[in-house]
Amino acid sequence: MSKGWSKTIEAGGKWSGVIGRGKLIRLTALEGGANVSAMLFSAADLNERYNMPDTLKAQHTSHLTKGNVLMSDNGRAMASIVEDELGWHDPLGGYTSRKLTDERYGATTYQELRNAWLRSGQENLAVELVRSGMGVRDLMPVVNWFSKISCDEQGDMHYAEHHCQAGSAVTLRTEMDVLLVLSNTPNPLDARRDYPSVPVLIEVLAAEAVDREHDYCVNYRAENRRAFENTWEYDALRGGE
């Protein structure tokens, strides 16, 4: 990868930013047991956003890994997973609330502990949404990078505690200009009683141009190609390539 921008998101931290089309977003767990909740919006129109049901239905899966595409509610490819060292990321578990965080880890407040207080995913995501002119009504299903959630025959969901090892990484490629919103807070199905303390490195780097005939993500499924074609058509009509 070429030299680009990077930042470490500390445990309990949050971040959001606009990332242009044709970039690589590499997330690396600096310790084991990481979980980063992510939302994705079109930077050109914040009303267009990642759609979890359509993403899973179109790709016939209940988890995300290399080859999968994050699709918008307009059927366009927003970002694709081009590298993955874990093979499984959770799109089902959601994010933690203030109530769950207090009950599981003990009540803390900013007034008492300042920056050491235990943040919830809901609060972190809401704060970052406000920075872009949105609010709690714009909260939606997230992708929990580094977490594995499986379902049994009864429909019960189970968290795999030792799924993410230190150094594990996943790399996305942006297929349109996106607003990425992140919360480095525990997966709500992680039953450990100690608040996970895992910093995560985010790097943004230039990506090579997509080879439309041979690209792994474009050709992963017929539904993926249709989503890419919708994005390419949208770009062409807006004056892009």
Side-chain angles (χ1 to χ4, degrees):
M1 291 183 181
S2 60
K3 185 177 181 180
W5 173 89
S6 66
K7 179 183 181 68
T8 297
I9 305 175
E10 300 296 337
K14 58 190 182 326
W15 180 85
S16 64
V18 172
I19 301 174
R21 172 173 169 260
K23 300 291 186 182
L24 297 176
I25 305 171
R26 180 179 175 90
L27 298 169
T28 303
L30 299 182
E31 299 173 19
N35 181 81
V36 174
S37 302
M39 298 191 298
L40 209 60
F41 300 81
S42 165
D45 179 1
L46 296 178
N47 290 309
E48 182 175 7
R49 53 198 64 184
Y50 162 68
N51 185 293
M52 180 267 277
D54 286 353
T55 294
L56 301 186
K57 179 176 62 178
Q59 297 175 97
H60 300 201
T61 186
S62 61
H63 65 275
L64 298 172
T65 186
K66 180 179 178 179
N68 287 142
V69 172
L70 305 187
M71 299 180 185
S72 78
D73 45 14
N74 285 335
R76 289 191 271 264
M78 305 188 77
S80 47
I81 304 173
V82 294
E83 296 294 340
D84 180 22
E85 297 177 359
L86 282 171
W88 191 305
H89 301 269
D90 162 43
L92 302 174
Y95 44 79
T96 52
S97 64
R98 169 51 44 199
K99 181 175 185 294
L100 183 149
T101 303
D102 287 349
E103 289 178 349
R104 183 168 298 164
Y105 309 111
T108 61
T109 65
Y110 174 77
Q111 291 75 12
E112 178 187 10
L113 298 178
R114 298 300 179 185
N115 288 332
W117 80 299
L118 304 183
R119 298 166 174 84
S120 74
Q122 184 180 39
E123 292 163 326
N124 272 359
L125 295 169
V127 168
E128 293 302 316
L129 289 174
V130 169
R131 296 183 195 277
S132 295
M134 295 182 282
V136 293
R137 71 175 185 175
D138 297 295
L139 288 166
M140 59 184 183
V142 297
V143 177
N144 285 312
W145 301 112
F146 305 115
S147 286
K148 179 178 181 178
I149 301 293
S150 58
C151 298
D152 61 25
E153 294 296 327
Q154 289 70 46
D156 295 325
M157 301 168 69
H158 302 278
Y159 175 82
E161 182 173 333
H162 302 293
H163 176 62
C164 173
Q165 304 299 312
S168 298
V170 57
T171 303
L172 312 180
R173 182 183 63 211
T174 53
E175 311 300 347
M176 63 170 65
D177 296 345
V178 299
L179 170 66
L180 177 64
V181 181
L182 300 177
S183 175
N184 187 3
T185 41
N187 189 295
L189 295 180
D190 183 347
R192 288 177 291 177
R193 306 300 294 185
D194 295 328
Y195 191 89
S197 178
V198 182
V200 171
L201 175 67
I202 176 173
E203 300 169 275
V204 178
L205 308 117
E208 296 181 357
V210 174
D211 179 344
R212 299 185 178 186
E213 297 305 315
H214 301 99
D215 183 80
Y216 186 77
C217 295
V218 172
N219 297 287
Y220 190 70
R221 293 190 58 85
E223 292 85 349
N224 290 28
R225 173 164 279 277
R226 285 201 290 273
F228 273 92
E229 289 173 346
N230 290 340
T231 301
W232 297 335
E233 179 182 75
Y234 180 70
D235 287 339
L237 291 172
R238 294 178 66 240
E241 295 180 0

